Amino acid sequence: MLVKYEALFAECFPGATHLNTAYLAWLYRDNPAGTVVGFDAWEGDVLAAHYVCVPVDAVLNGNPARLLLSLNTATAPAFQGKGLFTRLADATYQYAASRGFDAVYGVANANSTPGFIRKLGFDLLTPLDAKVGVGHLPMVDDTDNLQRQALFHRLWRRDALSWRLGSPARPYQLVRAGQRIAAWTTTGRAGIAAWAEPILEESLPENLPSPPMRIHLQLGLIPEAMKTKGVRWFNIPDRFRASPLNLIFKPLQSGVSAPPRDAILFGQLDFDAF
């Protein structure tokens, strides 16, 4: 099946060469949180459309939660305009709810956000911040307090973090960032590194290298109560950004609610920006 998916992605997104069988095996099969959840549409033996979400262990409103990250979707050109994506997405969410997943979230650009909201019932939580700077992120070093303030964040256990860092498309490296640990990777732009500082659930080796001598880029969110006024980080003006990215959210169980915008810790490791 991975070969079929690779062929569909190549037809729909010729420039996305990272969507090959090695990357798809890593993403679809090897995730320690579980294999992907999704559905395909077929006409005979022709793959017409495809949609999957990636299982995620997280904290939602202060409680452990099983979530899905809405990620890969494609519809072959000959089958576009027939509503296949909406039907596959609805089937995916119904199935996921029956298997106990609490909610699905995603990161959508300006073009796709209205469709997720109107057709699929997502809520728009907030646009992601885009910051550049040096050193570690402008948030306090008190990890215990950060965990209390971050009502929505991903649970990065050792196996999940190792898996995420080892993406065949763009592997990350761990470094020391003040009192915390950070992960960085290249962005394709000289002198700029994608930067994330996840909350870690287990201790990691102490002998980590220092950060690269580059400008750091962070796409994400920091809990409002944990921000500091570091002068070494600056917001990127909207006019210099290719497209705003929006964090969207859809509950799958009764009693599940979206987290408040000012209590979310979110970064590049939590979705597939880099």
Side-chain angles (χ1 to χ4, degrees), residues 118-216:
R118 290 198 307 265
K119 296 181 180 180
L120 298 175
F122 278 77
D123 296 320
L124 171 59
L125 295 187
T126 179
L128 297 185
D129 294 333
K131 297 178 180 293
V132 292
V134 295
H136 57 77
L137 288 173
M139 60 183 179
V140 300
D141 279 331
D142 187 343
T143 300
D144 290 338
N145 194 17
L146 182 58
Q147 288 179 312
R148 291 192 297 270
Q149 296 290 340
L151 298 183
F152 178 34
H153 66 88
R154 194 155 170 175
L155 284 173
W156 287 114
R157 301 185 179 94
R158 183 184 294 269
D159 59 349
L161 184 62
S162 295
W163 168 78
R164 181 63 182 90
L165 298 176
S167 168
R170 201 182 293 267
Y172 276 75
Q173 298 181 44
L174 286 181
V175 294
R176 181 68 58 183
Q179 300 300 312
R180 292 188 299 274
I181 289 174
W184 75 275
T185 190
T186 59
T187 62
R189 298 191 177 189
I192 300 178
W195 185 262
E197 295 177 26
I199 293 178
L200 304 179
E201 296 299 309
E202 301 171 63
S203 61
L204 289 170
E206 295 292 331
N207 57 341
L208 292 172
S210 299
M213 297 298 294
R214 303 184 185 190
I215 295 173
H216 300 156

Side-chain angles (χ1 to χ4, degrees), residues 18-250:
H18 71 286
L19 294 172
N20 52 41
T21 55
Y23 172 81
L24 296 175
W26 168 81
L27 181 64
Y28 286 24
R29 183 191 66 203
D30 299 339
N31 179 5
T35 56
V36 291
V37 178
F39 284 86
D40 298 328
W42 295 84
E43 184 174 81
D45 61 354
V46 175
L47 179 59
H50 169 68
Y51 176 64
V52 296
C53 298
V54 178
V56 169
D57 292 320
V59 167
L60 176 61
N61 293 322
N63 299 307
R66 290 278 288 151
L67 306 182
L68 290 173
L69 168 62
S70 176
L71 201 56
N72 283 354
T73 181
T75 301
F79 298 94
Q80 292 177 3
K82 302 179 183 297
L84 290 179
F85 168 61
T86 301
R87 292 166 60 185
L88 295 181
D90 284 337
T92 298
Y93 305 150
Q94 291 178 33
Y95 177 83
S98 73
R99 293 303 186 271
F101 285 94
D102 296 295
V104 56
Y105 71 93
V107 175
N109 62 27
N111 291 330
S112 60
T113 297
F116 276 101
I117 294 172
R118 290 198 307 265
K119 296 181 180 180
L120 298 175
F122 278 77
D123 296 320
L124 171 59
L125 295 187
T126 179
L128 297 185
D129 294 333
K131 297 178 180 293
V132 292
V134 295
H136 57 77
L137 288 173
M139 60 183 179
V140 300
D141 279 331
D142 187 343
T143 300
D144 290 338
N145 194 17
L146 182 58
Q147 288 179 312
R148 291 192 297 270
Q149 296 290 340
L151 298 183
F152 178 34
H153 66 88
R154 194 155 170 175
L155 284 173
W156 287 114
R157 301 185 179 94
R158 183 184 294 269
D159 59 349
L161 184 62
S162 295
W163 168 78
R164 181 63 182 90
L165 298 176
S167 168
R170 201 182 293 267
Y172 276 75
Q173 298 181 44
L174 286 181
V175 294
R176 181 68 58 183
Q179 300 300 312
R180 292 188 299 274
I181 289 174
W184 75 275
T185 190
T186 59
T187 62
R189 298 191 177 189
I192 300 178
W195 185 262
E197 295 177 26
I199 293 178
L200 304 179
E201 296 299 309
E202 301 171 63
S203 61
L204 289 170
E206 295 292 331
N207 57 341
L208 292 172
S210 299
M213 297 298 294
R214 303 184 185 190
I215 295 173
H216 300 156
L217 167 68
Q218 191 248 5
L219 299 175
L221 299 163
I222 298 172
E224 194 65 32
M226 304 308 296
K227 291 181 179 178
T228 62
K229 295 181 180 179
V231 297
R232 295 179 298 173
W233 283 82
F234 304 93
N235 291 319
I236 300 175
D238 288 345
R239 65 181 182 274
F240 296 126
R241 299 169 60 178
S243 174
L245 296 175
N246 298 314
L247 182 61
I248 57 176
F249 183 91
K250 177 183 175 70

Side-chain angles (χ1 to χ4, degrees), residues 7-22:
L8 177 63
F9 288 131
E11 182 180 14
C12 296
F13 315 114
T17 56
H18 71 286
L19 294 172
N20 52 41
T21 55

